């Protein structure tokens, strides 16, 4: 039986950090819409260039582009057993599209974990974030520093600051989240799929809580 887990939460809540850890533990692919856009951009594809225009402004990439990209990713064979979705869906239109895509795979969303972190914390987390060039592993200058300065612990690649992690863009991303993504909380509460997780715990404690709530859903 397949297992599809959605992680939602504001920018900087820890979705990417947790999705990587949980996907390794559960042996499920980690699908991050932001990582896929960045990969397309690094490969200089047309889609990547279009997406980048929205990302650098802190706005959402249009639904038709995003939905088609996720549809293609979910059609790969490694998703037959499920996936950890990070950053998609991001509004009710995308959530409806996901439901339809999974229905076509004879599956459904099992659980939506809402990682809750107060706004004051998000700017500090994002402006201090370091991201690895090769595989998108994330660190934080203060909260989760790499063992060797500016080198990823996992693959040794260079760490950099994302363009959209500058304070002005972070503020814009938080506004976009409040307006466009927050309605998903209500959407998934109505479907009885939402579980709220305290994102102010340590990284290890958040992972433990997530694994517990996912396990309880079995
Ligand atoms: P995306 O890359 O998805 O960015 P995001 O959702 O804004 O989320 P972030 O990656 O910024 O944060 P996160 O929650 O993953 O936090 P992280 O684990 O890194 O999207 C980028 C852009 O792409 C969007 O703005 C949009 O333009 C476009 N896009 C993507 N998906 C789209 C969609 N579906 N539709 C349309 N457009 C889309 O953690 C942050 C920092 O905090 C790190 O430094 C980490 O080390 C630290 N940290 C994590 N957990 C903790 C903890 N518990 N305690 C202390 N520090 C912690």
């Amino acid at each position: 039986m397949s297992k599809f887990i959605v992680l939602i939460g504001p920018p900087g809540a820890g979705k990417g950090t947790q999705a990587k850890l949980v996907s390794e533990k559960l042996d499920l692919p980690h699908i991050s819409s932001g990582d896929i856009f960045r990969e397309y951009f690094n490969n200089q594809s047309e889609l990547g260039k279009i997406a980048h225009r929205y990302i650098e402004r802190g706005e959402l990439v249009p639904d038709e582009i995003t939905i088609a990209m996720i549809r293609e990713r979910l059609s790969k064979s490694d998703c037959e057993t499920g996936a950890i979705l990070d950053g998609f869906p991001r509004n009710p239109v995308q959530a409806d599209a996901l439901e339809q895509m999974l229905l076509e795979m004879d599956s459904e969303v099992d659980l939506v974990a809402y990682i809750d972190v107060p706004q004051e914390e998000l700017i500090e987390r994002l402006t201090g974030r370091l991201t690895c060039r090769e595989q998108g592993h994330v660190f934080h200058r203060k909260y989760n520093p790499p063992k060797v300065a500016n080198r990823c612990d996992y693959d040794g690649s260079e760490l950099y600051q994302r363009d959209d992690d500058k304070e002005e863009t972070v503020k814009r991303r938080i506004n976009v989240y409040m307006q466009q993504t927050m309605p998903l909380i209500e959407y998934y509460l109505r479907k009885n799929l939402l579980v709220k997780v305290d994102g102010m715990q340590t990284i290890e404690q958040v992972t433990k809580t997530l694994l517990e709530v996912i396990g309880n859903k079995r």
Side-chain angles (χ1 to χ4, degrees), residues 9-18 32-35 37-38 54-55 58-61 66 86-90 94 121 125-126 128-130 138-140 143-144 162 164-165 173 199-203 206:
K15 303 180 296 297
T17 301
Q18 296 301 331
S32 156
S33 42
D35 283 354
F37 284 134
R38 283 183 287 277
Y54 295 90
I55 294 173
E59 290 168 12
L60 294 191
V61 178
T66 309
D86 151 24
F88 182 91
R90 240 176 168 97
Q94 294 183 10
E121 173 80 5
R125 283 200 187 178
L126 290 177
R129 171 165 61 183
L130 297 167
V138 292
F139 299 86
H140 191 280
Y143 302 136
N144 182 24
R162 273 170 45 178
D164 60 344
D165 279 349
R173 285 163 60 200
M200 287 298 282
Q201 306 174 90
T202 64
I203 292 175
V206 177

Side-chain angles (χ1 to χ4, degrees), residues 27-70:
D27 196 22
L28 289 172
H30 166 203
I31 301 184
S32 156
S33 42
D35 283 354
I36 304 176
F37 284 134
R38 283 183 287 277
E39 192 186 315
Y40 277 120
F41 181 67
N42 289 340
N43 294 337
Q44 312 224 325
S45 77
E46 267 321 298
L47 188 150
K49 287 181 203 161
I50 296 170
H52 188 73
R53 281 185 228 136
Y54 295 90
I55 294 173
E56 68 182 353
R57 293 200 297 261
E59 290 168 12
L60 294 191
V61 178
D63 287 338
E64 61 273 23
I65 296 178
T66 309
I67 290 168
M69 181 183 83
I70 294 294

